[in-house]
Amino acid sequence: MSGNDFFALTPLLLLAGSSVLIMLLIAIKLSHRVIQLSSLFLFAVAFSSLFFIQKLLPYHIEPLLIMDGFSVFIMGLIIFSSLVVNILSYIYFEEKEDSPKEYYVLLFLCTLGACVLAVSKHFISLFLGLEILTVGLYALIAYLRERHHNIEAGIKYLVLAAFSSAFLLFGMALIYLQTGSMEFSMIARSLTSLQSLSPLFLTGLGMMLVGVGFKLAVVPFHMWTADVYQGAPAPVTAFIATASKGGVFAVLFRFFIMIDGFRFKVVMLILIGIAIASMIIGNLLAVQQKNVKRILAYSSIAHLGYLLVAFMPGSMMSIKAVSFYLIAYFMTTLTAFGIVTILSNKETDAEDIESYKALFWQHPVLACIFSSSLLSLAGIPLTVGFVGKFYILAAGLQAGLWVTALILVISSVIGLYYYLRIITIMFAGQKSILSEEKKANPFFYRVSIIALSVLTLLIIWLGVYPSVVISFMEYFRLK
Amino acid sequence: MDSVFYIAAFVTVISTIMVITRHNPVHALLYLVISLLSLSMIFFLLGAPFAALLEIIIYAGAIMVLFIFVIMLLNLGKETAKQEKEWLKPKVWIGPAILSAILFAELFYLIAIAHAASYNLQTVNPKAVALSLFRPYLIGVELAAMLLMAGVVGAAHIGQHKKMVLHRFLKEEDDTL
């Protein structure tokens, strides 16, 4: 490996090194506060290192990794969301867990895994990144061992993720058997002359889609989502919803664009089916829910369906649409789960919809932040969610995907119902049932609220002036 | 040569089916060892003797011995001796023994015939494995290290537990000591 290789790898090296460093800090018995602040600092360093490698792009580290505009962008999103999760974690874990420190080691490792996914162009790095991410998540989901829900969610995730990894590996093996390579570009080369796919390759691709579909929680592989979202600690849920899905989606997108999988009819039909089913079923299942975490889980299924609509054209437009929608989805989801985290108390998470009753009259700031993030999830104009959905529709219609675009619009209308229901509950009534308890850590409580307010301002600002980010995305190339 | 492969594959499938249908974990583990041994035989036939050896050393050797020890240790109690006698009944070990005898006969046959190269394969020797691991796939090896670290840290957290206090009076007694 040359010096340039090391330079290009800086963000990943920093993340990996940070996890070891935090482990050493734990070994010398520093307090939770010191460890939280130092990991916050290390996340910020890793994030800023992304700006320094800009001038090197695009850079290939043969044969496993590729650093280009898109992958650095996705890495930025992932590290940023881990940073926000890290800020929110202190108040959440401080009062609930005796040993909250290993959490930060695992958070770094999961972030590393998601980032490796974002930069991989080879099945080996794909699989290793995915495994680092999921093995870390097993422990993070079951982190609060006293709670039965947590353990249950951890076991569910363990079984299903191991199962889906087996599918993914078998699919990779079949594709390797057919094409003789595990590198995306070599697979693409062996496919260029083909007009239709051989059954063996198609089976392999289908199995890979099953494996990846489990991780992305798209219908029909969505069964675990609601239970795991509900059972996991709220900051971890935010991480699963954003960083883990973003990384997996990025690598899937790169794979399909590189092998140009969109010209095969069968593959397109499968993808359209998954997208339509995710949009409709995700939104319909959310309507009946009384639990905010479950509502957000089902809404995330629907949002992945929307993302697939932008994914399918495989054009330049769809790279932009996917990138922008990922920004929108990350910011709004982080904000929504951030509110759930802040309102959680020692015994339970604030997941019952009734506990949000009359929140506005007690915590007007929190209620406003939550409302704006829900409106952005619903795709109301002047929020970033609207612009994201607009781009998805534009990308879909440009490619002539009328049916999926129509279903996207209809299911968004269904989605509006349950988002608005939460908002009306926050403004209804006079007396909040959340007790006005004294927060144990007023400093971190305030820092968390400030972080969420900044995110909210970004949601609105990007909803009004999206061109700032869009112009930046013009240069993304995936081939 | 083909028949050797099919016999080994047959042994693999049979023993794996036996693993997932046994009620007693120790019986299942015995079959799992056979399954791993026959897998390593298949690796050997495919021209990867190094992978075959690793399969035996790491899986059938280290990990399985660990499993069997843990499971035997977990069963400590008054019934243990009786139980172990039950485990040693011929009914239990005759199946795995037959399967491993088949594998052994295959191995013996393969060593006995001199012209083994009826498959047109190139052999992957340890040097080739080492070179590819530490040259192009070095990042992969490092990532695998991080993967192990995630597993160990997670298991250490979930596995650790506070000292259990059975009753508050007992706890008080404990304090006075």
Side-chain angles (χ1 to χ4, degrees):
Chain A
M1 285 175 70
S2 67
N4 260 353
D5 285 3
F6 276 107
F7 186 56
L9 277 175
T10 322
L12 298 180
L13 290 176
L14 275 172
L15 285 173
S18 306
S19 64
V20 178
L21 187 68
I22 294 291
M23 206 152 64
L24 290 177
L25 291 182
I26 293 172
I28 57 172
K29 295 199 187 304
L30 288 174
S31 70
H32 182 199
R33 177 173 297 226
V34 175
I35 286 180
Q36 199 268 353
L37 286 176
S38 43
S39 57
L40 185 64
F41 173 72
L42 289 169
F43 269 123
V45 170
F47 185 73
S48 56
S49 75
L50 292 173
F51 293 98
F52 290 103
I53 62 168
Q54 289 285 352
K55 55 180 181 289
L56 217 62
L57 306 178
Y59 192 82
H60 292 253
I61 300 168
E62 297 295 345
L64 295 179
L65 307 178
I66 178 171
M67 299 276 177
D68 59 6
F70 182 72
S71 60
V72 168
F73 166 74
I74 297 286
M75 272 206 285
L77 275 182
I78 290 168
I79 297 177
F80 177 74
S81 67
S82 307
L83 195 144
V84 175
V85 167
N86 185 44
I87 294 175
L88 296 169
S89 301
Y90 184 83
I91 48 170
Y92 188 86
F93 284 104
E94 173 65 12
E95 54 184 7
K96 295 187 185 61
E97 175 67 36
D98 303 323
S99 56
K101 297 171 195 164
E102 289 87 355
Y103 173 83
Y104 299 98
V105 180
L106 291 169
L107 195 61
F108 272 113
L109 288 171
C110 285
T111 314
L112 174 73
C115 287
V116 169
L117 279 177
V119 298
S120 64
K121 58 159 186 152
H122 196 287
F123 281 162
I124 290 182
S125 48
L126 193 170
F127 186 71
L128 281 170
L130 197 65
E131 283 302 296
I132 296 175
L133 178 64
T134 39
V135 167
L137 278 180
Y138 299 151
L140 284 184
I141 291 171
Y143 202 83
L144 300 172
R145 290 158 295 150
E146 324 280 283
R147 293 195 188 170
H148 296 299
H149 272 316
N150 270 35
I151 300 291
E152 183 197 327
I155 296 277
K156 267 184 189 155
Y157 193 74
L158 173 76
V159 172
L160 283 175
F163 196 62
S164 69
S165 291
F167 266 99
L168 188 68
L169 267 185
F170 199 52
M172 285 175 184
L174 288 180
I175 290 181
Y176 179 63
L177 177 66
Q178 184 71 28
T179 61
S181 174
M182 292 203 272
E183 200 177 334
F184 295 173
S185 53
M186 300 296 280
I187 295 171
R189 199 172 299 162
S190 70
L191 286 182
T192 41
S193 53
L194 296 179
Q195 283 310 306
S196 62
L197 291 171
S198 67
L200 206 58
F201 190 91
L202 203 60
T203 318
L205 199 64
M207 286 198 154
M208 278 188 70
L209 271 183
V210 172
V212 172
F214 262 112
K215 302 279 151 71
L216 289 177
V218 286
V219 177
F221 316 111
H222 64 289
M223 301 299 181
W224 58 275
T225 324
D227 293 338
V228 170
Y229 272 47
Q230 187 189 2
V236 177
T237 316
F239 186 84
I240 301 172
T242 56
S244 110
K245 285 190 183 173
V248 177
F249 197 83
V251 75
L252 186 71
F253 195 43
R254 180 183 299 282
F255 180 66
F256 265 87
I257 293 232
M258 277 178 98
I259 69 165
D260 200 10
F262 305 104
R263 60 202 165 99
F264 305 110
K265 266 234 165 69
V266 195
V267 181
M268 277 300 265
L269 275 181
I270 297 171
L271 284 176
I272 290 178
I274 291 178
I276 290 178
S278 303
M279 287 189 283
I280 294 179
I281 294 181
N283 276 319
L284 282 181
L285 287 177
V287 168
Q288 287 296 318
Q289 295 299 325
K290 295 256 183 296
N291 184 314
V292 173
K293 272 171 144 181
R294 290 183 87 91
I295 290 178
L296 289 173
Y298 286 118
S299 101
S300 85
I301 295 173
H303 281 278
L304 260 297
Y306 302 156
L307 264 174
L308 280 179
V309 175
F311 174 91
M312 277 182 290
S315 55
M316 282 309 296
M317 185 66 186
S318 79
I319 297 178
K320 261 191 280 181
V322 163
S323 310
F324 194 84
Y325 202 76
L326 278 176
I327 293 191
Y329 174 71
F330 269 50
M331 286 199 303
T332 43
T333 313
L334 281 175
T335 319
F337 280 111
I339 295 292
V340 176
T341 309
I342 287 183
L343 290 177
S344 300
N345 57 26
K346 195 169 179 200
E347 281 75 35
T348 53
D349 283 7
E351 48 188 21
D352 190 8
I353 200 165
E354 285 303 312
S355 63
Y356 289 83
K357 201 169 177 190
L359 183 73
F360 180 75
W361 310 113
Q362 195 178 359
H363 297 290
V365 179
L366 293 184
C368 288
I369 292 174
F370 201 30
S371 307
S372 59
S373 79
L374 287 173
L375 289 177
S376 172
L377 280 175
I380 302 292
L382 292 185
T383 60
V384 70
F386 170 74
V387 185
K389 235 173 232 174
F390 179 79
Y391 265 91
I392 285 183
L393 273 179
L397 290 181
Q398 206 180 42
L401 296 164
W402 288 96
V403 182
T404 44
L406 201 66
I407 289 182
L408 192 154
V409 173
I410 294 172
S411 58
S412 303
V413 175
I414 305 174
L416 201 57
Y417 167 74
Y418 57 83
Y419 295 125
L420 285 182
R421 198 179 52 171
I422 304 179
I423 295 178
T424 49
I425 281 179
M426 280 195 291
F427 288 87
Q430 296 294 319
K431 190 89 180 71
S432 171
I433 61 165
L434 285 172
S435 55
E436 184 76 68
E437 62 189 310
K438 192 77 207 83
K439 290 289 168 187
N441 301 286
F443 172 69
F444 275 95
Y445 183 67
R446 231 165 275 147
V447 169
S448 310
I449 290 183
I450 290 169
L452 292 183
S453 315
V454 170
L455 275 177
T456 312
L457 289 180
L458 274 176
I459 288 173
I460 294 167
W461 184 60
L462 284 182
V464 183
Y465 297 108
S467 53
V468 190
V469 191
I470 298 280
S471 61
F472 171 66
M473 289 168 184
E474 295 289 341
Y475 305 104
F476 290 169
R477 298 278 184 283
L478 281 175
K479 272 196 181 172
Chain B
M1 205 61 180
D2 267 348
S3 58
V4 178
F5 168 76
Y6 282 117
I7 293 171
F10 178 75
V11 172
T12 316
V13 173
I14 292 288
S15 56
T16 313
I17 290 175
M18 296 301 268
V19 172
I20 56 176
T21 50
R22 295 305 90 185
H23 291 297
N24 191 324
V26 172
H27 300 174
L29 283 176
L30 282 179
Y31 280 105
L32 190 54
V33 174
I34 303 300
S35 156
L36 292 167
L37 284 178
S38 50
L39 261 185
S40 95
M41 175 65 97
I42 292 176
F43 274 126
F44 187 69
L45 286 174
L46 290 174
F50 186 60
L53 276 181
L54 283 186
E55 184 86 18
I56 291 182
I57 295 170
I58 296 173
Y59 287 96
I63 294 180
M64 293 318 298
V65 168
L66 218 64
F67 262 132
I68 291 178
F69 264 102
V70 167
I71 284 182
M72 283 187 164
L73 289 176
L74 282 181
N75 281 323
L76 279 181
K78 284 169 192 164
E79 303 286 308
T80 317
K82 207 178 119 199
Q83 233 173 24
E84 275 180 15
K85 231 168 232 154
E86 270 174 31
W87 286 343
L88 290 176
K89 271 183 192 162
K91 202 180 82 188
V92 174
W93 57 259
I94 202 83
I98 290 173
L99 291 177
S100 56
I102 294 175
L103 288 177
F104 185 70
E106 275 194 345
L107 190 68
F108 198 73
Y109 168 75
L110 285 176
I111 293 172
I113 54 167
H115 53 93
S118 61
Y119 278 126
N120 193 16
L121 289 170
Q122 77 187 91
T123 318
V124 184
N125 53 1
K127 192 178 169 191
V129 175
L131 280 181
S132 75
L133 272 186
F134 286 95
R135 268 204 202 132
Y137 297 111
L138 180 63
I139 297 176
V141 176
E142 301 293 336
L143 285 176
M146 297 324 278
L147 172 62
L148 285 181
M149 180 169 151
V152 169
V153 173
H157 174 77
I158 299 204
Q160 80 179 183
H161 52 91
K162 283 186 288 189
K163 260 191 203 139
M164 199 155 63
V165 180
L166 293 170
H167 195 273
R168 59 202 159 96
F169 296 131
L170 288 176
K171 188 186 173 191
E172 276 172 14
E173 232 175 56
D174 222 38
D175 287 343
T176 53
L177 283 174

